[in-house]
Amino acid sequence: MTISPGNPIRPFWLAGRPATGETELTVTNSHDGRVVGVHAVPTPDQVEEAVAAAHAVRAQAAALPLHVRAEALAHVSRRIAERADEIARVISGENGKPIFWARGEVGRAVATFRFAAEETRRFSGDVQRLDTEPAAQGRLAYVTRVPYGPVLAITPFNFPLNLVAHKVAPAIAVGAPVIVKPAPATPLSALLLGEILAETDLPEGMFSILPVPNDRAGSLVEDPRLPVVSFTGSGPVGYAIIDRVPRKHVTLELGGNAAAVVLADADLDWAAGRVALFSNYQAGQSCIAVQRVIVEDTVADAFTDKLVAAVGGLVTGDPDDEKTQVGPLVSVQAAERVEAWVAEATGAGAKVLAGGTRDGATVAPTVLADVPAGAKVIAEEVFGPVLVIQRVSGVDEAFATVNDSRYGLQAGVFTRSLDTAFRANRELEVGGVIIGDVPSYRADQMPYGGVKESGIGREGLRSAMADLTYEKVMVITGLSL
């Protein structure tokens, strides 16, 4: 195709330098089909060059002074803030995310890199006296964390900037080279981040951003020079990676069918508004979007009325419109799958209380009731704007229903009872329990990840830094302590 002057071919980033290959790919907007950008695709030889560079620089990267790492991360944070509107429009264009949510993602990425800079300056060793026993008199242990080596970061389409940040920032913080393989549908945000990373004083080879198709990712996963694989995406792909490289250090941030529990003592207006919005934000394309709302029977009728009204009040439409809250899914194919899952549920007896329709890539915010337990919209991850209401008799049944899932990422519990809050923390089989709000809440500095089939390892800057490193002990002998 012919590229207009206003739509040039974006380079990829090879060992910190812009590069072009022999082919290009076009990124389009799922709402109206317009061309958002065209990017160069690395050749196999260029991918090899990037991996070789990351491997070659690993010792230098691990030895980088903390202030060099921290200032590079702080620079990225500042520059994302300076280019916030431009970056938000790239995210919205390639992802279909309403500009309102795209701006929120940019703000989170600013914070993610800032948190990483702060944690880097605190990334120091621990000292332990060992003379607690007579045999160790005069001995001292110095415990540090050392990077395993270069990181392969495989990132998803739903947060094309901030989930890249959650892999790149901790890698730089611990002194590990990183190679990013962004999602094929949304590579432009990561490539723009590469422009900013290239402004820093990081050594050549410290980062590469390689927008290769998924069918070429296997060679990167298997390459022994990339000892760490950090993957965010679907469960089948994540577990296939572990099966493929069982001896590598693999971290997985996978999916969920997140539940919000609404108990009789909850503020129903607050709960209904939050559940409505965060079932449908990102068009439901978030692994912690509310998919199941589990409501105590005594308040279920009143809550359902409030919830359906709140869902009906959401603004669906053009993602460029500042008022739009719910935009399209990432593709027509994704919307067709969601539509098919809703049809399966209604065919088995579920009632549609709101939505249930599709227009191109946009699925209307949908509320379902009386859904059979085995339906995909309950048992699987919908990854679309679909919410299922489940009525329960009380706290016991509510918590058992949350746990009746092979996923365990986060759960929200709307209650005013402190005892119930701590009980939820004890009993719910999830990586995070959000009291008084939806499971969709995430602060970028907190530990984030799941149990069961929702993943292995934790994100959040300090947690991710620990995940990318191992403890190393030096024992000093003959000291007068």
Side-chain angles (χ1 to χ4, degrees):
M1 65 178 290
T2 301
I3 307 301
S4 68
N7 194 24
I9 297 174
R10 288 183 180 266
F12 56 87
W13 295 89
L14 197 168
R17 307 182 311 275
T20 57
E22 298 172 354
T23 59
E24 295 84 35
L25 287 177
T26 300
V27 178
T28 59
N29 179 269
S30 63
H31 175 70
D32 56 20
R34 74 183 186 276
V35 174
V36 180
V38 180
H39 67 87
V41 178
T43 67
D45 286 345
Q46 288 171 318
V47 171
E48 164 58 28
E49 184 180 348
V51 175
H55 181 71
V57 81
R58 68 193 189 283
Q60 182 185 356
L64 279 176
L66 295 184
H67 72 88
V68 174
R69 306 179 206 174
E71 182 48 41
L73 293 163
H75 173 85
V76 173
S77 177
R78 291 190 297 267
R79 291 289 286 141
I80 292 174
E82 291 168 2
R83 299 177 63 177
D85 187 68
E86 171 197 0
I87 297 171
R89 294 195 180 280
V90 170
I91 292 171
S92 181
E94 66 176 346
N95 174 279
K97 182 177 302 192
I99 191 66
F100 169 80
W101 295 113
R103 289 200 177 98
E105 180 175 351
V106 173
R108 289 180 60 186
V110 170
T112 297
F113 277 99
R114 185 179 72 247
F115 293 145
E118 294 165 356
E119 290 295 343
T120 300
R121 295 188 187 277
R122 291 190 284 266
F123 193 61
S124 299
D126 295 323
V127 174
Q128 294 180 4
R129 286 182 59 154
L130 302 180
D131 60 341
T132 54
E133 300 296 326
Q137 186 166 333
R139 295 180 186 265
L140 187 81
Y142 174 57
V143 185
T144 54
R145 299 202 70 90
V146 179
Y148 289 106
V151 177
L152 171 62
I154 303 176
T155 60
F157 71 81
N158 56 331
F159 289 87
L161 177 68
N162 197 43
L163 291 186
V164 174
H166 269 286
K167 298 187 185 302
V168 170
I172 292 172
V174 302
V178 58
I179 291 177
V180 178
K181 194 212 94 56
T186 57
L188 303 180
S189 300
L191 296 175
L192 197 156
L193 178 61
E195 293 180 24
I196 296 174
L197 287 165
E199 298 170 355
T200 69
D201 293 327
L202 294 171
E204 186 173 297
M206 192 71 182
F207 79 93
S208 291
I209 300 175
L210 306 178
V212 297
N214 288 339
D215 60 8
R216 291 177 54 195
S219 60
L220 283 167
V221 168
E222 293 176 346
D223 197 302
R225 294 167 294 179
L226 301 174
V228 179
V229 180
S230 178
F231 172 84
T232 299
S234 72
V237 176
Y239 288 112
I241 289 173
I242 285 186
D243 292 341
R244 196 164 188 165
V245 287
R247 290 177 177 81
K248 284 197 176 190
H249 184 76
V250 178
T251 65
L252 303 177
E253 201 285 281
L254 305 176
N257 53 2
V261 175
V262 181
L263 298 176
D265 65 339
D267 180 333
L268 299 186
D269 290 315
W270 164 255
R274 296 294 284 177
V275 169
L277 183 61
F278 285 94
S279 173
N280 297 289
Y281 88 121
Q282 316 281 140
Q285 296 170 124
S286 168
C287 45
I288 45 176
V290 184
Q291 182 171 325
R292 300 179 291 152
V293 58
I294 299 164
V295 191
E296 196 164 359
D297 194 61
T298 55
V299 296
D301 289 339
F303 175 78
T304 298
D305 290 343
K306 293 176 184 292
L307 175 62
V308 171
V311 169
L314 296 174
V315 179
T316 302
D318 185 348
D320 284 341
D321 189 327
E322 299 284 349
K323 297 178 182 178
T324 296
Q325 296 167 295
V326 185
L329 278 78
V330 72
S331 67
V332 172
Q333 293 76 17
E336 289 173 341
R337 178 193 56 77
V338 172
E339 180 184 39
W341 286 21
V342 171
E344 177 201 61
T346 57
K351 296 177 182 177
V352 179
L353 304 184
T357 60
R358 178 182 66 84
D359 180 10
T362 299
V363 174
T366 298
V367 180
L368 302 175
D370 300 332
V371 178
K376 290 187 178 72
V377 293
I378 285 182
E380 306 292 336
E381 181 179 35
V382 173
F383 227 59
V386 178
L387 177 65
V388 175
I389 296 175
Q390 297 174 278
R391 299 170 73 121
V392 294
S393 59
V395 177
D396 290 351
E397 188 181 0
F399 288 179
T401 302
V402 173
N403 291 340
D404 185 20
S405 170
R406 69 174 192 266
Y407 300 110
L409 192 46
Q410 291 196 161
V413 180
F414 289 90
T415 181
R416 292 185 172 97
S417 167
L418 193 59
D419 285 344
T420 303
F422 276 92
R423 179 181 172 184
N425 191 55
R426 288 194 308 272
E427 296 183 9
L428 295 182
E429 298 166 353
V430 293
V433 178
I434 313 300
I435 302 298
D437 207 349
V438 290
S440 321
Y441 177 79
R442 178 183 180 183
D444 289 287
Q445 72 271 36
M446 78 182 194
Y448 174 78
V451 296
K452 299 194 279 191
E453 292 188 28
S454 285
I456 300 168
R458 290 295 181 268
E459 291 185 347
L461 281 308
R462 177 180 290 186
S463 300
M465 290 165 69
D467 236 347
L468 299 180
T469 55
Y470 61 91
E471 286 186 317
K472 188 173 186 178
V473 181
M474 177 177 69
V475 177
I476 304 174
T477 305
L479 299 175
S480 298
L481 299 174

